[in-house]
Every structure is written in structure tokens, then in C-alpha cells.
Amino acid sequence: MGKPFPGTISLDLQSPKLKSLPPLSLYIHIPWCLKKCPYCDFNSHEIRGEGSQAPEDEYVAALIRDLEFALADVWGRRLSSVFFGGGTPSLFSAKAIDTILTAVRTLLPLEHFAEVTMEANPGTFEAQKFADFRAAGINRLSIGIQSFNPQHLRALGRVHDDQEAHRAVEIALKNFDNINLDLMYALPGQTLTAAQADIETACSLGVTHISAYHLTLEPNTLFHRFPPNLPDDEQAAAMQDMIEQTTARHQYRHYETSAFAQAGKESRHNLNYWLFGDYLGIGAGAHSKISFADKIVRQMRYKQPKEYLAKANAHESLAQTQHELTPSDRGFEFMMNALRLNGGFDTTLFQERTGLPITVVQQQLDEAEHRGLLVHDYHRIKPTVLGRRFLNDLLQIFLPEIDSR
């Protein structure tokens, strides 16, 4: 069992204060796609009708207005990373991305060598366009491959085929030296052999980072309403084991539940999320977590693109909701993120990021260790192999108790 932590400084647990603010990232949401995938529950919207286009210029202006509105909350802070997510951000022109990044650099300076990632889907790849993305300041690309198998791509409703997937990686490798491939496993009708072919192909391409996600049936998706025939839990677990072994053999380090990286190529933007850093989210439906000395707040932007644009054009606030995290929320949310990291986290980081002593979760730490789900001492807390395999069970231990009175 881990030992109780030595006596800690007396803190006001009802209104804990932060001695310093964590790193700050910027997330930029571009909500349009060529086609809505049947498994996707993200805030993404299909561009409907032949010849239809997203309102690029209007949306870029709204994003810049959004950032200007948000400056008061993050004034004077530097950005450690920027991430364009979606939707399919690569649908936008390089000129639009350049305009956004120019405004970002003007309003919130980036740290030297800041990581600037863009999500892209193979159906949107053109060689010159991606060279222009690089020139605009994108230095990391995340490509939504999902599978290299044409049968599984069709089952997932993807707009690209296997040849376009390979072509996309080929174009990316000519323009970027930091590339992530998103893959999914436990797909409709997928065998262990087929899953292995996907991960072996990804590893052989020499990209710096691979994300491998278990397909789950999320509410409000087509797959949830009409469930396909998926591999059972035992088959999915075998696929997960195989992915971990294959990536390790190709010198990728398994550093987070679904993430595998070459040495030094971990996603800095995602690490900031997992270590309970701050992030400002702009764009339709984007979420933010912003720390102040005496509070931590979460915000969400208006979700529907039309409403978001209307608010921006009317020069109104684009934050639809805002709430302050309670002390128990802070503890749970920190653990919910940090325990996704296979190497865990330094014990001192808990107090740095939450304002709370680690002793507030001592009982839960002891229970989790007793059940073999994590190990902890004065210096470090990390999940065991069992804890990583049953992550939801581990996180549930830290859920705040609900007062039913």
C-alpha cells in the first residue's frame, strides 16, 4: 500500500487558490465535414448540396472576434500549443488558416517552437494546399485515416478509400515532419488479422505518432440507433494487446490510453489536457477550461454554427455557458485526465493544478491501490497495467459523492 502523505500546508478547502497558472493552449473548432460519419458524436455538420461550401470568410471573422472577446480571461498569457479540430479543418483554405494564425500571434503570443496541429481527412488532400498549410504555420498534422482496409472504410461511412489514405500520408510526409495517424479498431466485422494489418501499415509509414481508438457506440449517432455487428469484448481486448505489442516493436512509446509516440514526439497539446492545463476553445461548440488565482471555470461556445455566427455578427458574447468548478470537481477532473497517462503524474502537480492538497483524495488512492488499479508514493501516482485495462473502474473511484438530501 502507498504510505499516507506527510502533513501538508493548511489550505482553505472551500475556496482553494492557485499559486501559479498552468500552461495555456488554444483549441480552434471548425465544424464542417464533407459527410457526417455514422459513429461521430462531435459537433460536426455536413456541407449539404452540390457545390455548397462552408461560410469560410464569415466564420474566420467570427473566430477572430471570439478570440478578442476572450482576451480578458487570458490576458498576458502565452500559448504553448494551438490545435485546429473539427469537423474537417483542412476543408478551409490555407489563406483562411494563415489569417487565423496571424490574428492569434497578434493577440496571444505563441511560445517559441509552439506546436500547431491541424486535423485533416484524406478526402481533402491536395499537395499544394498542404504545402501552403505548412507555410501558414501548421507544424503538426493529424490525419483521420481510421483504417487502411477498403471494406472497413465503407462500413465506417468514410468519404475516402484505401488509396486516398496512402496518398494523404505520402503528401503529408513531403511537407511535415510531425504527423499523427488516427486509427480505430473493433470495427464492424473486423478480425484480429485485419486489425493487425492496419496497425502494421501505420507503423511502417514512419510517422511520429499513432492514435488507436476503440470504436464505441455513442448516443445521438447513426451507429447507436442502428448498431452494427462489432467484435465482442474479448476480441477487442485481443486487438488492444496486439496494438500495444506491435507499436512497441516499432519503437513507439505507449504513453496514454490510446496514444503511441516516437521518442519526444508526444502530443504536447493533448498532454496539456491530460495534465489539467488550461485551454481556451473558440469556434462553434468549443469548450474552455481557464484558471484564475481564486477559481477555475469551464465555458462552452454556442454550438450551432448559424447561432454562433449570428452572435458574432451582433458583437455579442459567444460563450453560451460558464460554470465554476467546485473543489470536488477539481479533484475528480484532474484524476480523470491524468490517470489516462501510463506513466502517471508527479504528486506535487495535483496541488499545483487544483489548489488542493493530495490528501483530499487519500482515501480514494488507498482504495484504488488496494484493488490493484494504481500505485502511489510521495513522488508519483500512476495506474497499474490492470488500472489501464479497467480505466473506467479506476476513475469511478474518484467520482464526487452526490448529496441526495
Side-chain angles (χ1 to χ4, degrees), residues 10 73 85 93 178 186 197 202 208 234 268 272 283 298 315 332 359 385 405:
S10 174
D73 288 341
S93 67
N178 198 0
T208 51
E234 192 174 326
R268 281 186 264 157
N272 192 41
R298 285 202 176 277
H315 293 268
F332 170 65
T359 48
V385 172
R405 288 174 296 175

Side-chain angles (χ1 to χ4, degrees), residues 122-188:
T124 64
F125 268 73
E126 302 157 23
Q128 186 57 52
K129 186 178 186 180
F130 279 79
D132 292 343
F133 283 147
R134 182 64 195 257
I138 303 295
N139 56 31
R140 182 175 183 270
L141 209 59
S142 181
I143 310 174
I145 298 290
Q146 313 317 348
S147 176
F148 290 98
N149 183 309
Q151 174 190 336
H152 295 135
L153 288 170
R154 285 193 296 272
L156 290 172
R158 301 295 287 174
V159 296
H160 68 274
D161 59 23
D162 54 321
Q163 291 182 328
E164 287 174 306
H166 283 281
R167 175 72 177 140
V169 178
E170 183 185 321
I171 291 171
L173 286 166
K174 286 179 180 174
N175 294 286
F176 296 88
D177 51 15
N178 198 0
I179 298 167
N180 169 63
L181 299 184
D182 274 351
L183 293 178
M184 300 176 81
Y185 66 94
L187 307 179

Side-chain angles (χ1 to χ4, degrees), residues 276-294:
F276 210 52
D278 279 357
Y279 49 94
L280 172 63
I282 61 172
H287 291 254
S288 302
K289 175 210 160 230
I290 308 292
S291 298
F292 301 85
D294 58 346

